[in-house]
């Protein structure tokens, strides 16, 4: 029986080699694969009569031959019948594949703007670790254990007595420890709090600013903040400072900008007040200077902090902070740049 398979294979190869046009090819196809009289079809039918001992081997031989026949017919078809090659059809009406250029994240864009404004004024860029010690995040900032101000910032604690920094203020301490005045620095970076809703995210970004030298006053602070806010939101912006409390500054303040939506006359975005809250600031507390070995009799300084998402939200009219962290391209692609 096996020899019959070989014989048919040789015959097929010969017949196919002799087929010079599509019609001849069709005749070869019918002779071997024809549903009723095809030679191969016949072989498969014979399978039933083969004694069971040799049936598997015979079946395999027939199948191999069938694969050979089909493949060779297809190749011959591609050669003899123009346009029949089995390639994916090309649909000329399909739109092209667009390569869209990438862009930096809106938070990265706003960060770059903030850095530029302060670098222009001669500030240095500083950074510190996101996993901090209690000393840098609280103690050195005049927030001792059990101080009620610790409740203002719900903290993520990690192993080994460490914590995820709740603000960028620890970078003030690290910078003062390694440098003598005059100091003029900003630090931008990630901070973490156990807080999550439409305007609070457990991870967000802050800018911290610190200036220390002889003769620094509250007027320098106000001038700096006004300059910064105008650079970010436009020349017409006014700023306002309100007394507030942060343990590491005295006096402490919160600062607002005139509402960028209504110009200060009062609207729903500023809840009718004409102002929008920006961040905290104040004159560096003498207790902080003592922690880093600066003489509070000789030096004064101001510090300020603010949230980067907040600026981006105001600038772009975004009302949900979580959009910055979901990485949905439909959102992100609206900020080319
Ligand atoms: N660290 C404060 C916070 O995250 C913000 C802040 C307030 C920073 C006053 C300052 C400052 O430098 O002087 O809530």
């Amino acid at each position: 029986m096996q020899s019959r398979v070989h014989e048919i294979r040789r015959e097929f190869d010969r017949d196919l080699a002799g087929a010079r046009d599509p019609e001849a090819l069709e005749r070869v196809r019918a002779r071997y694969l024809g549903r009723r009289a095809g030679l191969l079809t016949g072989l498969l039918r014979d399978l039933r009569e083969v004694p069971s001992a040799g049936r598997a081997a015979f079946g395999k031989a027939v199948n191999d031959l069938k694969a050979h026949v089909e493949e060779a017919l297809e190749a011959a078809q591609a050669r003899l019948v123009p346009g029949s090659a089995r390639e994916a059809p090309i649909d000329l009406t399909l739109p092209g594949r667009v390569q869209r250029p990438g862009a930096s994240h809106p938070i990265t864009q706003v960060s770059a703007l903030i850095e530029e404004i302060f670098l222009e004024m001669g500030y240095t860029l500083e950074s510190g670790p996101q996993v901090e010690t209690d000393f840098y995040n609280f103690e050195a900032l005049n927030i001792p254990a059990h101080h009620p101000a610790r409740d203002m910032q719900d903290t993520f604690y990690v192993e080994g007595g460490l914590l995820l920094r709740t603000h960028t203020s620890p970078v003030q301490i690290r910078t003062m420890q390694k440098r003598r005045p005059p100091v003029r620095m900003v630090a931008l970076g990630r901070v973490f709090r156990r807080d999550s809703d439409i305007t609070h995210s457990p991870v967000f970004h802050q800018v911290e600013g610190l200036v220390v030298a002889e003769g620094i006053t509250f007027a320098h602070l106000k001038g700096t903040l006004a300059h910064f806010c105008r650079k970010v939101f436009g020349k017409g912006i006014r700023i306002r400072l309100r007394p507030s409390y942060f343990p590491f500054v005295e006096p402490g303040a919160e600062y607002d900008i005139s509402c960028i939506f209504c110009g200060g006359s009062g609207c729903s975005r500023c809840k009718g007040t004409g102002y929008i809250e920006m961040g905290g600031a104040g004159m560096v507390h003498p207790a902080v200077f003592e922690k880093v070995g600066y003489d509070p009799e000789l030096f004064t300084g101001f510090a300020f902090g603010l949230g980067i998402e907040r600026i981006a939200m105001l600038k772009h009219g975004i009302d949900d902070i979580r959009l910055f962290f979901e990485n949905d391209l439909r959102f992100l692609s609206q900020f080319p740049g």
Side-chain angles (χ1 to χ4, degrees):
M1 282 313 266
Q2 294 276 3
S3 63
R4 176 82 186 118
V5 175
H6 288 298
E7 206 178 293
I8 292 184
R9 182 178 179 123
R10 269 194 304 278
E11 261 182 70
F12 168 78
D13 287 343
R14 204 181 332 107
D15 285 355
L16 189 67
R20 296 274 144 74
D21 53 56
E23 290 74 36
L25 189 65
E26 274 322 300
R27 280 196 297 277
V28 176
R29 188 193 303 280
R31 179 166 152 78
Y32 290 88
L33 296 181
R35 186 95 43 90
R36 252 179 297 143
L39 289 174
L40 260 150
T41 323
L43 275 181
L44 284 168
R45 217 173 287 129
D46 293 347
L47 190 58
R48 264 177 268 142
E49 271 107 68
V50 176
S52 60
R55 199 176 290 161
F58 180 73
K60 182 173 181 330
V62 176
N63 272 329
D64 287 349
L65 174 58
K66 189 162 181 242
H68 167 72
V69 166
E70 283 170 347
E71 214 171 282
L73 280 172
E74 197 174 303
Q77 166 115 1
R79 227 178 324 111
L80 294 177
V81 186
S84 73
R86 272 225 256 138
E87 284 163 19
I90 297 172
D91 182 350
L92 295 173
T93 64
L94 282 177
R97 285 196 196 125
V98 182
Q99 295 267 357
R100 277 199 282 160
S104 50
H105 192 278
I107 294 301
T108 309
Q109 292 177 27
V110 171
S111 300
L113 170 69
I114 295 170
E115 288 177 1
E116 194 182 301
I117 295 170
F118 284 104
L119 285 172
E120 217 170 61
M121 290 195 278
Y123 284 58
T124 60
L125 285 181
E126 307 291 342
S127 64
Q130 292 172 9
V131 178
E132 263 296 7
T133 63
D134 185 274
F135 175 79
Y136 286 105
N137 197 78
F138 292 122
E139 197 73 32
L141 289 161
N142 200 28
I143 317 174
H146 311 302
H147 191 289
R150 290 203 181 198
D151 299 343
M152 283 160 61
Q153 307 180 351
D154 241 334
T155 311
F156 287 111
Y157 288 94
V158 292
E159 281 165 23
L162 298 170
L163 50 85
L164 300 186
R165 67 179 182 193
T166 57
H167 50 178
T168 41
S169 303
V171 187
Q172 289 186 28
I173 306 297
R174 290 182 174 276
T175 306
M176 287 191 279
Q177 276 183 339
K178 63 178 190 212
R179 220 164 296 144
R180 302 294 305 162
V183 167
R184 241 186 309 182
M185 59 137 269
V186 278
L188 286 77
R190 224 165 251 173
V191 300
F192 308 85
R193 289 186 199 177
R194 300 179 47 162
D195 211 349
S196 184
D197 60 38
I198 187 167
T199 55
H200 295 90
S201 160
V203 51
F204 60 106
H205 299 78
Q206 282 190 335
V207 192
E208 190 78 18
L210 173 73
V211 172
V212 182
E214 288 180 45
I216 295 294
T217 70
F218 205 92
H220 294 125
L221 170 60
K222 185 169 185 187
T224 303
L225 292 177
H227 172 78
F228 169 70
C229 293
R230 286 179 191 138
K231 278 276 187 176
V232 174
F233 293 109
K235 284 203 176 67
I237 295 292
R238 282 168 288 111
I239 75 157
R240 166 175 95 167
L241 288 132
R242 285 178 287 110
S244 185
Y245 174 73
F246 300 96
F248 36 93
V249 283
E250 179 57 35
E254 279 176 276
Y255 57 100
D256 305 332
I257 56 169
S258 50
C259 180
I260 57 172
F261 302 104
C262 65
S265 55
C267 66
S268 64
R269 308 298 286 267
C270 60
K271 300 189 192 83
T273 63
Y275 284 93
I276 293 179
E277 248 181 73
M278 288 295 293
M283 300 303 289
V284 181
H285 199 292
V288 173
F289 281 153
E290 265 153 27
K291 291 273 194 219
V292 297
Y294 281 12
D295 181 356
E297 295 296 325
L298 194 54
F299 300 113
T300 51
F302 66 74
F304 58 88
L306 73 150
I308 299 180
E309 280 77 6
R310 204 174 154 63
I311 297 204
M313 288 168 83
L314 286 171
K315 255 184 107 62
H316 299 298
I318 297 161
D319 54 14
D320 189 340
I321 192 170
R322 294 169 293 201
L323 288 166
F324 291 122
F325 302 101
E326 283 166 358
N327 288 333
D328 185 332
L329 284 177
R330 290 168 301 179
F331 171 73
L332 294 176
S333 62
Q334 295 175 55
F335 308 93

